[in-house]
Amino acid sequence: MALHLILMGPPQAGKGTQARYLATRFGLVHVATGDLLREVSQEDSALGRRVGDLLRLGEYVPDALVTQMVVDRMDDHDILLDGYPRTVAQAETLERLAIPIHGVFVLDVPEDELIDRAQERLFCPNCNAVYGSRTNPPREPCICDVCGHGLAHRLDDAPATVHRRLEVYRQRSEPVVSYYETRGLVRRIDGSGPVAQVSAALERATAQLFQRQGRVAAETV
Ligand code: AMP
């Protein structure tokens, strides 16, 4: 059976960076709702403008819209969901659609560290790679290591929006962690250390889930 994993954590916990690493390492299909919504927000359409406004304000996009994006991408591949589900209604939808979840990794990072990270985060608008000037700087300032495109700040990393996003996470996404805790699926990972150390912890946890399915994790890196 295909492995379905969820990576959760507050804004700036390092979800994007770690999800890209894990997906490459284990050959998982990486479904990142934030990346998909940022693409939609670039479209010159009523939907694009509406999504763009919500992202700028740090608010969540309506459940139905984002759920459709995810369901369209679910198939019999091993999948890593990054940024979904973010509300209990979204988690219930997965259950209602009989989409099994085999593990939920939650990245724990102290709140003051999350705020500092937002101020220094840069991302690549072309390939979505993420950098932090302190924790994982690009080799050349403001240039993406992966594709050479210029880096940018995310609009939702503005200080007021960062505080709002943390509040929305506490109100709407922490209950999702409890939802999966009652199902015995949550594995908390300390996300405050160096990127490589967090990756190693996630890698061990993922390999264990493959083993539990009687499978050997693919060696893709
Ligand atoms: P991320 O890149 O995961 O930090 O997501 C960026 C933004 O996209 C979030 O702050 C939300 O506004 C929106 N978003 C991403 N995933 C979801 C989701 N599952 N439900 C609602 N909004 C989402």
Side-chain angles (χ1 to χ4, degrees), residues 105-195:
F105 302 143
V106 179
L107 293 177
D108 283 326
V109 179
E111 194 158 314
D112 49 356
E113 169 76 14
L114 295 172
I115 292 168
D116 287 352
R117 286 186 186 180
Q119 307 319 311
E120 59 163 57
R121 172 159 67 178
L122 290 167
F123 90 112
C124 173
N126 184 46
C127 74
N128 291 311
V130 182
Y131 301 87
S133 49
R134 205 167 27 101
T135 44
N136 63 329
R139 283 192 294 272
E140 263 189 74
C142 293
I143 301 293
C144 181
D145 292 351
V146 181
C147 70
H149 198 278
L151 301 178
H153 282 286
R154 271 173 52 166
L155 288 174
D156 56 358
D157 280 342
T161 313
V162 168
H163 284 97
R164 176 64 189 148
R165 291 171 68 215
L166 284 168
E167 189 177 300
V168 173
Y169 180 83
R170 274 196 298 272
Q171 287 171 354
R172 303 195 63 193
S173 295
E174 278 180 358
V176 179
V177 178
S178 309
Y179 177 95
Y180 285 120
E181 261 166 353
T182 61
R183 286 156 177 77
L185 291 172
V186 171
R187 176 81 179 263
R188 288 188 177 270
I189 306 275
D190 177 3
S192 62
V195 172

Coordinates of all heavy atoms in Angstrom, one line a residue, residues 105-195:
F105 N 4.1 14.0 11.1 CA 5.2 14.6 11.7 C 4.9 16.0 12.0 O 4.5 16.8 11.1 CB 6.5 14.5 10.8 CG 6.8 13.1 10.4 CD1 7.3 12.8 9.1 CD2 6.7 12.0 11.2 CE1 7.6 11.6 8.7 CE2 7.0 10.7 10.8 CZ 7.5 10.5 9.5
V106 N 5.2 16.4 13.3 CA 4.9 17.8 13.7 C 6.3 18.4 14.1 O 6.9 17.9 15.0 CB 3.9 17.8 14.9 CG1 3.7 19.3 15.3 CG2 2.6 17.2 14.5
L107 N 6.6 19.5 13.4 CA 7.9 20.1 13.7 C 7.6 21.1 14.9 O 6.8 22.0 14.7 CB 8.4 20.9 12.5 CG 8.9 20.1 11.3 CD1 9.3 20.9 10.2 CD2 10.0 19.2 11.7
D108 N 8.3 21.0 16.0 CA 8.2 21.9 17.1 C 9.3 22.9 17.1 O 10.5 22.5 17.1 CB 8.3 21.1 18.4 CG 7.0 20.3 18.7 OD1 5.9 20.9 18.4 OD2 7.0 19.2 19.3
V109 N 9.0 24.2 17.1 CA 10.0 25.2 17.2 C 9.5 26.3 18.1 O 8.3 26.7 18.0 CB 10.2 25.8 15.8 CG1 11.3 27.0 15.8 CG2 10.7 24.8 14.8
P110 N 10.3 26.8 19.1 CA 9.8 27.9 20.0 C 9.3 29.1 19.2 O 9.9 29.5 18.1 CB 11.0 28.2 20.8 CG 11.9 27.1 20.7 CD 11.7 26.5 19.3
E111 N 8.3 29.8 19.7 CA 7.7 30.9 19.0 C 8.7 32.1 18.6 O 8.6 32.6 17.5 CB 6.5 31.4 19.7 CG 5.6 32.3 18.9 CD 4.2 32.4 19.4 OE1 3.6 31.4 19.7 OE2 3.7 33.5 19.4
D112 N 9.6 32.4 19.6 CA 10.5 33.5 19.3 C 11.4 33.2 18.1 O 11.7 34.0 17.3 CB 11.2 34.0 20.5 CG 11.9 32.9 21.3 OD1 11.7 31.7 20.9 OD2 12.6 33.2 22.3
E113 N 11.8 31.9 18.0 CA 12.6 31.5 16.9 C 11.8 31.6 15.6 O 12.4 32.0 14.5 CB 13.1 30.0 17.2 CG 13.7 29.3 16.0 CD 15.2 29.7 15.8 OE1 15.7 30.4 16.6 OE2 15.7 29.4 14.7
L114 N 10.5 31.2 15.6 CA 9.7 31.3 14.4 C 9.6 32.7 13.9 O 9.7 33.0 12.7 CB 8.3 30.8 14.7 CG 8.1 29.4 15.1 CD1 6.7 29.1 15.5 CD2 8.5 28.4 13.9
I115 N 9.5 33.7 14.8 CA 9.4 35.1 14.4 C 10.7 35.6 13.8 O 10.8 36.2 12.7 CB 8.9 36.0 15.6 CG1 7.5 35.6 15.9 CG2 9.0 37.4 15.3 CD1 7.0 36.1 17.2
D116 N 11.9 35.2 14.4 CA 13.2 35.6 13.9 C 13.3 35.0 12.5 O 13.8 35.6 11.6 CB 14.3 35.0 14.7 CG 14.5 35.7 16.1 OD1 13.8 36.8 16.2 OD2 15.2 35.2 16.9
R117 N 12.9 33.7 12.3 CA 13.1 33.1 11.0 C 12.3 33.8 9.9 O 12.8 33.9 8.7 CB 12.7 31.6 11.0 CG 13.6 30.7 11.8 CD 13.1 29.3 11.7 NE 13.9 28.4 12.5 CZ 13.7 27.1 12.5 NH1 12.7 26.5 11.8 NH2 14.4 26.3 13.3
A118 N 11.2 34.3 10.2 CA 10.3 35.0 9.2 C 11.0 36.2 8.6 O 11.0 36.5 7.4 CB 9.0 35.4 9.8
Q119 N 11.8 36.9 9.5 CA 12.4 38.1 9.1 C 13.5 37.8 8.1 O 13.9 38.6 7.3 CB 13.0 38.9 10.3 CG 12.0 39.2 11.4 CD 10.6 39.6 10.9 OE1 10.5 40.4 10.0 NE2 9.6 38.9 11.4
E120 N 14.1 36.6 8.2 CA 15.3 36.4 7.4 C 15.0 35.4 6.2 O 15.9 35.0 5.5 CB 16.4 35.8 8.2 CG 16.0 34.5 8.9 CD 17.3 33.8 9.4 OE1 18.0 34.4 10.2 OE2 17.5 32.6 9.1
R121 N 13.7 35.0 6.1 CA 13.4 33.9 5.1 C 13.4 34.5 3.7 O 12.8 35.6 3.4 CB 12.1 33.3 5.4 CG 11.6 32.3 4.3 CD 10.6 31.3 4.7 NE 9.3 31.9 5.1 CZ 8.3 31.1 5.4 NH1 8.5 29.8 5.5 NH2 7.2 31.6 5.8
L122 N 14.0 33.8 2.7 CA 13.9 34.1 1.3 C 13.4 32.9 0.6 O 13.7 31.8 1.0 CB 15.3 34.5 0.8 CG 15.9 35.8 1.3 CD1 17.4 35.9 0.9 CD2 15.2 37.0 0.6
F123 N 12.7 33.1 -0.5 CA 12.2 31.9 -1.3 C 12.4 32.2 -2.7 O 12.6 33.3 -3.2 CB 10.8 31.5 -0.9 CG 9.8 32.2 -1.8 CD1 9.0 31.4 -2.7 CD2 9.5 33.5 -1.7 CE1 8.0 32.0 -3.5 CE2 8.5 34.1 -2.5 CZ 7.8 33.3 -3.4
C124 N 12.5 31.1 -3.5 CA 12.6 31.2 -4.9 C 11.3 31.2 -5.6 O 10.6 30.1 -5.6 CB 13.5 30.1 -5.5 SG 13.6 30.1 -7.3
P125 N 10.8 32.3 -6.2 CA 9.5 32.3 -6.9 C 9.4 31.3 -8.1 O 8.4 31.0 -8.5 CB 9.3 33.7 -7.4 CG 10.4 34.5 -6.7 CD 11.5 33.5 -6.4
N126 N 10.6 30.9 -8.6 CA 10.6 30.0 -9.7 C 10.5 28.5 -9.3 O 9.6 27.8 -9.8 CB 11.9 30.2 -10.5 CG 11.9 29.3 -11.8 OD1 10.9 29.3 -12.5 ND2 13.0 28.6 -12.0
C127 N 11.3 28.0 -8.3 CA 11.2 26.6 -8.0 C 10.8 26.3 -6.5 O 10.8 25.2 -6.1 CB 12.6 25.9 -8.2 SG 13.9 26.4 -7.0
N128 N 10.5 27.4 -5.8 CA 10.0 27.3 -4.4 C 11.0 26.9 -3.4 O 10.6 26.6 -2.2 CB 8.7 26.4 -4.3 CG 7.5 27.0 -5.0 OD1 7.2 28.1 -4.8 ND2 6.9 26.2 -5.9
A129 N 12.3 26.8 -3.7 CA 13.3 26.5 -2.7 C 13.3 27.6 -1.6 O 12.9 28.8 -1.9 CB 14.7 26.4 -3.3
V130 N 13.6 27.2 -0.4 CA 13.5 28.2 0.7 C 14.9 28.3 1.4 O 15.6 27.4 1.6 CB 12.5 27.7 1.8 CG1 12.4 28.7 2.9 CG2 11.1 27.4 1.2
Y131 N 15.2 29.6 1.8 CA 16.5 29.9 2.4 C 16.3 30.7 3.6 O 15.3 31.5 3.7 CB 17.4 30.6 1.4 CG 17.7 29.9 0.1 CD1 16.8 30.0 -0.9 CD2 18.8 29.0 0.0 CE1 17.0 29.3 -2.1 CE2 19.0 28.3 -1.1 CZ 18.1 28.4 -2.2 OH 18.3 27.7 -3.3
G132 N 17.3 30.6 4.6 CA 17.3 31.5 5.7 C 18.7 32.1 5.8 O 19.7 31.3 5.7
S133 N 18.8 33.4 6.0 CA 20.2 34.0 5.9 C 21.1 33.4 7.0 O 22.3 33.4 6.8 CB 20.1 35.5 5.9 OG 19.3 36.0 6.9
R134 N 20.5 33.0 8.1 CA 21.3 32.5 9.2 C 21.4 30.9 9.1 O 22.5 30.4 9.2 CB 20.6 32.8 10.5 CG 21.5 32.9 11.7 CD 20.7 33.6 12.9 NE 19.2 33.5 12.8 CZ 18.5 32.6 13.5 NH1 19.1 31.8 14.3 NH2 17.2 32.6 13.3
T135 N 20.3 30.3 9.0 CA 20.3 28.8 9.1 C 20.7 28.1 7.8 O 21.4 27.1 7.9 CB 18.9 28.3 9.5 OG1 17.9 29.0 8.7 CG2 18.6 28.6 11.0
N136 N 20.2 28.5 6.6 CA 20.7 27.9 5.4 C 20.8 28.9 4.3 O 19.9 29.0 3.4 CB 19.8 26.6 5.0 CG 18.4 27.0 4.7 OD1 17.9 27.9 5.3 ND2 17.8 26.3 3.8
P137 N 21.8 29.7 4.3 CA 22.0 30.8 3.3 C 22.2 30.2 1.9 O 22.8 29.1 1.8 CB 23.2 31.6 3.8 CG 24.0 30.6 4.6 CD 23.0 29.6 5.2
P138 N 21.8 30.9 0.8 CA 22.2 30.5 -0.5 C 23.7 30.7 -0.7 O 24.3 31.5 0.0 CB 21.4 31.4 -1.4 CG 21.1 32.6 -0.6 CD 21.0 32.2 0.8
R139 N 24.3 30.0 -1.7 CA 25.7 30.1 -1.9 C 26.1 31.5 -2.3 O 27.0 32.1 -1.9 CB 26.2 29.1 -2.9 CG 26.3 27.6 -2.3 CD 27.1 26.7 -3.3 NE 26.3 26.5 -4.5 CZ 25.4 25.5 -4.7 NH1 25.2 24.7 -3.7 NH2 24.7 25.4 -5.8
E140 N 25.3 32.0 -3.3 CA 25.5 33.4 -3.7 C 24.3 34.3 -3.1 O 23.2 33.8 -3.2 CB 25.4 33.5 -5.2 CG 26.7 33.5 -5.9 CD 26.5 33.8 -7.4 OE1 26.2 34.9 -7.7 OE2 26.5 32.8 -8.2
P141 N 24.6 35.4 -2.6 CA 23.5 36.2 -2.0 C 22.3 36.4 -2.9 O 22.5 36.8 -4.1 CB 24.2 37.5 -1.6 CG 25.6 37.3 -1.6 CD 25.9 36.1 -2.5
C142 N 21.1 36.1 -2.5 CA 19.9 36.4 -3.2 C 19.7 35.6 -4.5 O 18.9 36.0 -5.3 CB 19.7 37.9 -3.4 SG 19.4 38.7 -1.9
I143 N 20.5 34.6 -4.7 CA 20.4 33.8 -5.9 C 20.1 32.3 -5.5 O 20.7 31.8 -4.6 CB 21.7 33.8 -6.8 CG1 22.1 35.2 -7.2 CG2 21.6 32.9 -8.0 CD1 21.1 35.9 -8.1
C144 N 19.1 31.7 -6.2 CA 18.7 30.4 -5.8 C 19.8 29.3 -6.2 O 20.2 29.3 -7.4 CB 17.4 30.0 -6.5 SG 16.8 28.3 -6.1
D145 N 20.2 28.5 -5.3 CA 21.2 27.5 -5.5 C 20.7 26.5 -6.6 O 21.5 25.9 -7.4 CB 21.5 26.6 -4.3 CG 22.2 27.4 -3.2 OD1 22.6 28.6 -3.5 OD2 22.3 26.9 -2.1
V146 N 19.4 26.2 -6.6 CA 18.8 25.1 -7.4 C 18.7 25.6 -8.8 O 19.1 24.9 -9.8 CB 17.5 24.7 -6.8 CG1 16.9 23.6 -7.7 CG2 17.6 24.3 -5.4
C147 N 18.1 26.8 -9.1 CA 17.8 27.1 -10.5 C 18.4 28.5 -10.9 O 18.2 28.9 -12.1 CB 16.3 27.1 -10.6 SG 15.4 28.5 -9.8
G148 N 19.1 29.2 -10.0 CA 19.7 30.4 -10.4 C 18.8 31.7 -10.5 O 19.3 32.8 -10.9
H149 N 17.5 31.5 -10.2 CA 16.6 32.6 -10.2 C 16.8 33.5 -9.0 O 17.4 33.1 -8.0 CB 15.2 32.0 -10.1 CG 14.1 32.9 -10.5 ND1 13.5 33.9 -9.7 CD2 13.4 33.0 -11.7 CE1 12.6 34.5 -10.3 NE2 12.5 34.0 -11.6
G150 N 16.4 34.8 -9.1 CA 16.6 35.7 -8.0 C 15.6 35.4 -6.8 O 14.5 34.9 -7.1
L151 N 16.1 35.5 -5.6 CA 15.2 35.2 -4.4 C 14.4 36.4 -4.0 O 14.7 37.5 -4.3 CB 16.1 34.7 -3.3 CG 17.0 33.5 -3.6 CD1 17.9 33.1 -2.4 CD2 16.1 32.3 -4.0
A152 N 13.3 36.1 -3.3 CA 12.4 37.2 -2.8 C 11.9 36.9 -1.4 O 12.0 35.7 -0.9 CB 11.2 37.2 -3.8
H153 N 11.4 37.9 -0.8 CA 10.7 37.7 0.5 C 9.3 37.3 0.2 O 8.7 37.8 -0.7 CB 10.7 39.0 1.4 CG 12.0 39.2 2.0 ND1 12.5 38.5 3.1 CD2 13.0 40.1 1.7 CE1 13.7 38.9 3.5 NE2 14.0 39.9 2.7
R154 N 8.7 36.4 1.1 CA 7.3 36.1 0.9 C 6.5 37.3 1.5 O 6.8 37.8 2.6 CB 7.0 34.8 1.7 CG 7.2 33.6 0.8 CD 7.0 32.3 1.6 NE 5.8 32.2 2.3 CZ 5.4 31.1 2.9 NH1 6.1 30.0 2.7 NH2 4.3 31.0 3.6
L155 N 5.4 37.6 0.8 CA 4.6 38.7 1.3 C 4.0 38.5 2.7 O 3.8 39.4 3.5 CB 3.4 39.0 0.3 CG 3.8 39.6 -1.0 CD1 2.7 39.7 -2.0 CD2 4.4 41.0 -0.8
D156 N 3.7 37.2 2.9 CA 3.1 36.8 4.2 C 4.2 36.7 5.3 O 3.8 36.3 6.4 CB 2.2 35.6 4.1 CG 2.9 34.4 3.6 OD1 4.1 34.5 3.2 OD2 2.2 33.3 3.6
D157 N 5.4 37.1 5.1 CA 6.4 37.1 6.1 C 6.6 38.5 6.7 O 7.4 38.8 7.6 CB 7.8 36.7 5.6 CG 7.9 35.1 5.6 OD1 7.1 34.5 6.3 OD2 8.8 34.6 4.9
A158 N 5.7 39.5 6.3 CA 5.7 40.8 6.9 C 5.3 40.6 8.4 O 4.5 39.8 8.7 CB 4.7 41.7 6.2
P159 N 5.9 41.4 9.3 CA 5.8 41.2 10.8 C 4.3 41.0 11.2 O 4.0 40.0 11.9 CB 6.4 42.3 11.4 CG 7.5 42.8 10.4 CD 6.9 42.5 9.1
A160 N 3.4 41.9 10.8 CA 2.0 41.8 11.3 C 1.4 40.5 10.8 O 0.6 39.8 11.5 CB 1.2 43.0 10.8
T161 N 1.7 40.1 9.6 CA 1.1 38.9 9.0 C 1.7 37.7 9.7 O 0.9 36.7 9.9 CB 1.4 38.8 7.5 OG1 1.1 40.1 6.9 CG2 0.5 37.7 6.8
V162 N 2.9 37.7 10.1 CA 3.5 36.6 10.8 C 2.8 36.3 12.1 O 2.5 35.2 12.4 CB 5.0 36.8 11.1 CG1 5.6 35.8 12.0 CG2 5.8 36.8 9.7
H163 N 2.5 37.4 12.8 CA 1.8 37.2 14.1 C 0.4 36.6 13.9 O -0.1 35.7 14.6 CB 1.7 38.5 14.9 CG 3.0 38.8 15.5 ND1 4.0 39.6 15.0 CD2 3.6 38.3 16.7 CE1 5.1 39.7 15.8 NE2 4.8 38.9 16.8
R164 N -0.3 37.1 12.8 CA -1.6 36.6 12.5 C -1.5 35.1 12.1 O -2.4 34.3 12.5 CB -2.2 37.4 11.4 CG -3.6 37.0 10.9 CD -4.6 37.1 12.0 NE -5.9 36.4 11.6 CZ -6.7 35.8 12.4 NH1 -6.4 35.7 13.7 NH2 -7.8 35.2 11.9
R165 N -0.5 34.8 11.3 CA -0.4 33.4 10.9 C -0.2 32.4 12.0 O -0.7 31.3 12.1 CB 0.7 33.2 9.8 CG 0.4 33.9 8.5 CD 1.5 34.0 7.6 NE 1.9 32.7 7.1 CZ 3.2 32.3 6.9 NH1 4.2 33.1 7.1 NH2 3.4 31.1 6.4
L166 N 0.6 32.9 13.0 CA 0.9 32.1 14.2 C -0.4 31.9 15.0 O -0.7 30.8 15.5 CB 1.9 32.7 15.1 CG 3.4 32.6 14.6 CD1 4.3 33.5 15.4 CD2 3.8 31.1 14.8
E167 N -1.2 33.0 15.1 CA -2.5 32.9 15.8 C -3.5 31.9 15.1 O -4.1 31.1 15.7 CB -3.1 34.3 15.8 CG -4.3 34.6 16.7 CD -4.6 36.0 16.6 OE1 -3.8 36.9 17.0 OE2 -5.8 36.3 16.1
V168 N -3.5 32.0 13.8 CA -4.4 31.2 13.0 C -4.0 29.7 13.2 O -4.8 28.8 13.3 CB -4.4 31.6 11.5 CG1 -5.2 30.6 10.6 CG2 -5.0 33.0 11.3
Y169 N -2.6 29.5 13.2 CA -2.1 28.1 13.4 C -2.6 27.6 14.7 O -3.1 26.4 14.8 CB -0.6 28.1 13.3 CG -0.1 26.7 13.4 CD1 0.0 25.8 12.4 CD2 0.4 26.2 14.7 CE1 0.4 24.5 12.5 CE2 0.8 24.9 14.9 CZ 0.8 24.0 13.8 OH 1.3 22.7 14.0
R170 N -2.4 28.4 15.8 CA -2.8 27.9 17.1 C -4.3 27.6 17.2 O -4.7 26.6 17.7 CB -2.5 29.0 18.1 CG -1.1 29.0 18.7 CD -1.0 29.8 20.0 NE -1.3 31.2 19.7 CZ -0.4 32.1 19.3 NH1 0.9 31.8 19.2 NH2 -0.7 33.4 19.1
Q171 N -5.1 28.5 16.6 CA -6.6 28.3 16.6 C -7.1 27.2 15.8 O -7.9 26.4 16.2 CB -7.3 29.6 16.2 CG -7.2 30.7 17.2 CD -7.8 32.0 16.6 OE1 -8.1 32.1 15.4 NE2 -7.8 33.0 17.5
R172 N -6.5 27.1 14.6 CA -7.2 26.1 13.6 C -6.4 24.9 13.3 O -6.9 23.9 12.9 CB -7.4 26.9 12.3 CG -8.3 28.1 12.6 CD -8.9 28.7 11.4 NE -9.8 27.8 10.7 CZ -10.3 28.0 9.4 NH1 -9.9 29.1 8.8 NH2 -11.1 27.1 8.9
S173 N -5.0 24.9 13.5 CA -4.2 23.8 13.1 C -3.8 22.9 14.3 O -3.6 21.7 14.2 CB -3.0 24.2 12.3 OG -3.4 24.7 11.1
E174 N -3.6 23.6 15.5 CA -3.2 22.8 16.7 C -4.3 21.7 17.0 O -4.0 20.6 17.3 CB -2.9 23.6 17.9 CG -1.5 24.1 17.8 CD -0.9 25.0 18.9 OE1 -1.7 25.3 19.8 OE2 0.2 25.3 18.8
P175 N -5.6 22.0 16.8 CA -6.6 21.0 16.9 C -6.4 19.8 16.0 O -6.8 18.7 16.2 CB -7.9 21.7 16.7 CG -7.7 23.1 17.0 CD -6.2 23.4 16.6
V176 N -5.8 20.0 14.8 CA -5.5 18.9 13.9 C -4.5 18.0 14.5 O -4.6 16.8 14.3 CB -5.1 19.5 12.5 CG1 -4.8 18.3 11.5 CG2 -6.1 20.4 11.9
V177 N -3.5 18.6 15.2 CA -2.5 17.7 15.8 C -3.2 16.9 16.8 O -2.9 15.6 16.9 CB -1.4 18.6 16.5 CG1 -0.4 17.7 17.2 CG2 -0.7 19.5 15.4
S178 N -4.1 17.5 17.6 CA -4.8 16.7 18.7 C -5.6 15.6 18.0 O -5.7 14.4 18.5 CB -5.8 17.5 19.5 OG -5.1 18.7 20.0
Y179 N -6.3 15.9 16.8 CA -7.1 15.0 16.1 C -6.3 13.7 15.7 O -6.7 12.6 15.9 CB -7.6 15.7 14.8 CG -8.4 14.8 13.9 CD1 -9.8 14.9 13.9 CD2 -7.8 14.1 12.9 CE1 -10.6 14.1 13.0 CE2 -8.5 13.3 11.9 CZ -9.9 13.4 12.0 OH -10.7 12.6 11.1
Y180 N -5.0 13.9 15.3 CA -4.2 12.8 14.9 C -3.5 12.1 16.1 O -3.2 11.0 16.1 CB -3.2 13.2 13.8 CG -3.8 13.4 12.5 CD1 -3.7 14.6 11.8 CD2 -4.5 12.4 11.8 CE1 -4.3 14.8 10.6 CE2 -5.0 12.5 10.6 CZ -5.0 13.8 10.0 OH -5.5 13.9 8.7
E181 N -3.4 12.9 17.2 CA -2.8 12.3 18.4 C -3.8 11.3 19.0 O -3.3 10.2 19.4 CB -2.5 13.4 19.5 CG -1.1 13.8 19.5 CD -0.8 15.1 20.2 OE1 -1.8 15.8 20.7 OE2 0.3 15.5 20.4
T182 N -5.1 11.6 18.9 CA -6.0 10.6 19.4 C -6.0 9.3 18.6 O -6.4 8.3 19.0 CB -7.5 11.1 19.5 OG1 -7.9 11.5 18.2 CG2 -7.6 12.4 20.4
R183 N -5.5 9.4 17.3 CA -5.4 8.2 16.5 C -4.0 7.6 16.5 O -3.7 6.7 15.7 CB -5.8 8.6 15.0 CG -7.3 8.9 14.9 CD -7.6 9.8 13.7 NE -9.0 10.0 13.5 CZ -9.8 10.7 14.3 NH1 -9.3 11.4 15.3 NH2 -11.1 10.8 14.1
G184 N -3.2 8.1 17.4 CA -1.8 7.5 17.6 C -0.9 7.7 16.4 O 0.0 6.9 16.2
L185 N -1.1 8.7 15.7 CA -0.3 8.9 14.4 C 0.8 9.9 14.5 O 1.7 10.0 13.6 CB -1.2 9.3 13.3 CG -2.2 8.2 12.8 CD1 -3.2 8.8 11.8 CD2 -1.4 7.0 12.1
V186 N 0.8 10.7 15.6 CA 1.7 11.9 15.6 C 3.1 11.5 16.2 O 3.3 10.8 17.1 CB 1.1 13.0 16.5 CG1 2.1 14.1 16.8 CG2 -0.1 13.6 15.9
R187 N 4.1 12.0 15.5 CA 5.5 11.9 15.9 C 6.0 13.3 15.9 O 6.1 14.0 14.9 CB 6.2 11.0 14.9 CG 7.7 10.9 15.1 CD 7.9 9.8 16.2 NE 9.4 9.7 16.4 CZ 10.1 8.7 15.8 NH1 9.5 7.9 15.0 NH2 11.4 8.7 16.0
R188 N 6.3 13.9 17.2 CA 6.9 15.2 17.3 C 8.4 15.2 17.0 O 9.1 14.4 17.6 CB 6.5 15.8 18.6 CG 5.1 16.1 18.8 CD 4.8 16.9 20.1 NE 3.4 17.2 20.1 CZ 2.9 18.4 19.7 NH1 3.7 19.3 19.1 NH2 1.6 18.6 19.8
I189 N 8.8 16.2 16.2 CA 10.2 16.3 15.9 C 10.7 17.7 16.3 O 10.1 18.7 16.0 CB 10.4 16.1 14.3 CG1 9.8 14.9 13.8 CG2 11.9 16.3 13.9 CD1 10.5 13.6 13.9
D190 N 11.9 17.7 17.0 CA 12.4 19.0 17.4 C 12.9 19.7 16.1 O 13.9 19.2 15.5 CB 13.5 18.8 18.4 CG 14.2 20.1 18.8 OD1 13.8 21.2 18.4 OD2 15.2 20.0 19.6
G191 N 12.2 20.8 15.8 CA 12.6 21.5 14.5 C 13.5 22.7 14.8 O 13.7 23.5 13.9
S192 N 14.0 22.8 16.0 CA 14.8 24.1 16.3 C 16.3 23.9 16.0 O 17.0 24.9 16.0 CB 14.6 24.4 17.8 OG 15.1 23.4 18.6
G193 N 16.8 22.7 15.7 CA 18.2 22.5 15.5 C 18.6 22.8 14.1 O 17.8 23.3 13.3
P194 N 19.9 22.6 13.7 CA 20.3 22.8 12.3 C 19.5 21.9 11.3 O 19.0 20.9 11.7 CB 21.8 22.3 12.3 CG 22.2 22.2 13.8 CD 20.9 22.0 14.6
V195 N 19.4 22.4 10.1 CA 18.5 21.8 9.1 C 18.9 20.3 8.9 O 18.0 19.4 8.9 CB 18.7 22.5 7.7 CG1 18.0 21.8 6.6 CG2 18.1 23.9 7.8

